[in-house]
Amino acid sequence: MAHLRQQFRDALSSIEPGDDKTNAPAAHALVRDALKADATLAAYGITPVLIGSYKRNASIKRVKDVDVFVRMPDLPRDVSSKDILDRFFEVLHAEFGLDDDGHRRTKRQDRSLQVSFPEFDLYVDAVPARRNKDGETWEIPQKGEADKWVRTNPEELTSLSSEMNNRHDELYVPTVKLLRQTRRALLGKKKPGGFFIEVATYQAFKSGAVSGADHAEYYVSALSAVSTIISGFVQYGVGVNDPTLPGETINIRANADELNQIRVKFAEAATSAEDALNESDEGKAALAFRALLGKNGDDEIVFPMPPGFNEDGTKRAAAIRAGDRVVPAGRKTFG
């Protein structure tokens, strides 16, 4: 079997965010401070926190957007979602103004405000949130509605992710990263996005369908289990559970063609990954894993070839490896 342990470690290093690890929290802090400085928002008990894949350490190179969950526990119930989004825009536009090309850096979205940071090549999405009546979860503006809120609990996913990672000897989060990278390699910018894959991966782990002894086995096992979940959703309408809100499923933004494409692509990927793991030729196995993981955000190949193999997966003629039955002759020079 081709476990390729060092190559999987190198692949994970290749998709790890680089400068974004410094830039993302810096951009978040600037948005957070601007919102907290506003007297109106301060009266609502504003407490912004990082959420999203970056906070959960599940993001991959490159980090293009950072999510700031702006909790306002004292926001009056008669303040509409439109009102609060308007206030966010006023505050953030006043703080960040225009970019060098004369474009507004703050963009109004359905349920958040997006602030561009050209110097970092990323965006910060500030999402306003009010306390739900249950006192434990939160509500954010409903997409497309002037005064409708929808329940959410994003901070819980951060805790659940950490707990699952500990339960699986620090192999859950790396597996999420590998599956997110696989989705990107196979689908690019098409929907559904990485969050769908992450939640499906969590569901697969929680069900007990994922196991292994190393990165390769976990990756192959998770890819198979997630493929099954995707097929169940696309073909039979079986929802993907929201782990933070028991009894509810996540909303998946994708059209029928996109959903069918991810179903087919992940089914093919699951078969290819399993064949690669069972392959005795490490060069052939590495080529298969390389095809599944593609290139990172810096356009670099993610999965390297093992020592002694050419880039096309063939073995180098002069390579000497432990276990080889035939060793190439030397040059008969000594000293």
Side-chain angles (χ1 to χ4, degrees):
M1 297 180 75
H3 289 260
L4 299 169
R5 292 180 175 86
Q6 184 58 51
Q7 285 66 48
F8 269 97
R9 286 193 289 268
D10 291 342
L12 284 163
S13 178
S14 175
I15 61 177
E16 189 69 18
D19 292 340
D20 296 327
K21 282 189 171 182
T22 300
N23 296 337
H28 156 257
L30 292 171
V31 172
R32 177 200 63 200
D33 292 347
L35 292 170
K36 290 180 68 175
D38 180 68
T40 299
L41 298 179
Y44 299 152
I46 184 172
T47 52
V49 292
L50 267 174
I51 59 170
S53 61
Y54 178 81
K55 175 65 175 179
R56 296 188 296 274
N57 297 315
S59 59
I60 55 177
K61 187 184 289 184
R62 291 214 37 248
V63 176
K64 299 296 289 185
D65 59 88
V66 181
D67 298 321
V68 180
F69 193 60
V70 187
R71 301 171 300 183
M72 293 173 287
D74 302 323
L75 182 68
R77 304 297 291 186
D78 61 354
V79 176
S80 71
S81 57
K82 180 181 182 302
D83 291 339
I84 199 64
L85 287 168
D86 287 346
R87 187 61 188 174
F88 270 43
F89 176 79
E90 291 172 8
V91 171
L92 294 173
H93 178 56
E95 176 67 22
F96 297 105
L98 308 177
D99 62 21
D100 291 340
D101 294 323
H103 300 130
R104 287 179 175 176
R105 291 180 58 187
T106 302
K107 178 182 177 182
R108 175 76 175 261
Q109 301 189 118
D110 286 319
R111 60 177 56 175
S112 66
L113 276 298
Q114 185 184 79
V115 182
S116 67
F117 285 86
E119 66 272 33
F120 298 147
D121 190 25
L122 58 78
Y123 299 87
V124 172
D125 288 328
V127 186
R130 71 181 187 184
R131 179 72 76 180
N132 183 266
K133 292 180 179 179
D134 63 15
E136 296 180 358
T137 59
W138 297 87
E139 296 175 348
I140 61 176
Q142 173 64 56
K143 181 179 179 180
E145 299 288 342
D147 190 22
K148 188 174 181 181
W149 300 72
V150 60
R151 194 161 70 107
T152 187
N153 197 14
E155 293 175 275
E156 178 67 9
L157 187 55
T158 301
S159 299
L160 292 173
S161 179
S162 179
E163 291 168 7
M164 187 66 76
N165 199 44
N166 292 335
R167 199 176 307 156
H168 286 268
D169 297 324
E170 309 296 320
L171 286 165
Y172 168 71
V173 168
T175 302
V176 170
K177 287 175 176 282
L178 290 171
L179 264 68
R180 275 178 167 265
Q181 177 62 31
T182 301
R183 189 218 65 82
R184 180 181 290 178
L186 298 178
L187 299 174
K189 295 181 179 179
K190 293 181 180 179
K191 297 177 180 178
F195 179 72
F196 172 52
I197 295 302
E198 180 177 351
V199 176
T201 303
Y202 183 88
Q203 180 172 316
F205 269 77
K206 187 177 180 180
S207 72
V210 182
S211 62
D214 55 25
H215 291 306
E217 291 185 1
Y218 263 87
Y219 175 61
V220 172
S221 178
L223 197 49
S224 175
V226 169
S227 173
T228 299
I229 291 172
I230 293 173
S231 293
F233 174 74
V234 176
Q235 294 183 302
Y236 306 109
V238 180
V240 178
N241 297 332
D242 184 337
T244 71
L245 298 172
E248 297 191 21
T249 57
I250 64 170
N251 180 43
I252 299 168
R253 291 182 290 172
N255 61 41
D257 289 340
E258 290 170 329
L259 290 172
N260 190 58
Q261 184 177 28
I262 194 173
R263 177 189 67 82
V264 172
K265 291 287 188 181
F266 263 69
E268 293 173 347
T271 299
S272 178
E274 185 173 0
D275 290 344
L277 182 62
N278 292 324
E279 175 61 60
S280 59
D281 185 319
E282 289 189 343
K284 291 182 179 179
L287 275 182
F289 287 129
R290 173 175 285 192
L292 292 173
L293 293 168
K295 294 182 178 181
N296 64 20
D298 289 337
D299 202 34
E300 300 165 336
I301 291 174
V302 169
F303 201 91
M305 297 302 296
F309 286 87
N310 297 308
E311 290 300 298
D312 63 358
T314 58
K315 195 170 184 180
R316 293 175 186 164
I320 304 173
R321 305 188 65 211
D324 284 352
R325 292 181 178 275
V326 178
V327 178
R331 300 170 66 181
K332 295 184 180 180
T333 58
F334 304 91

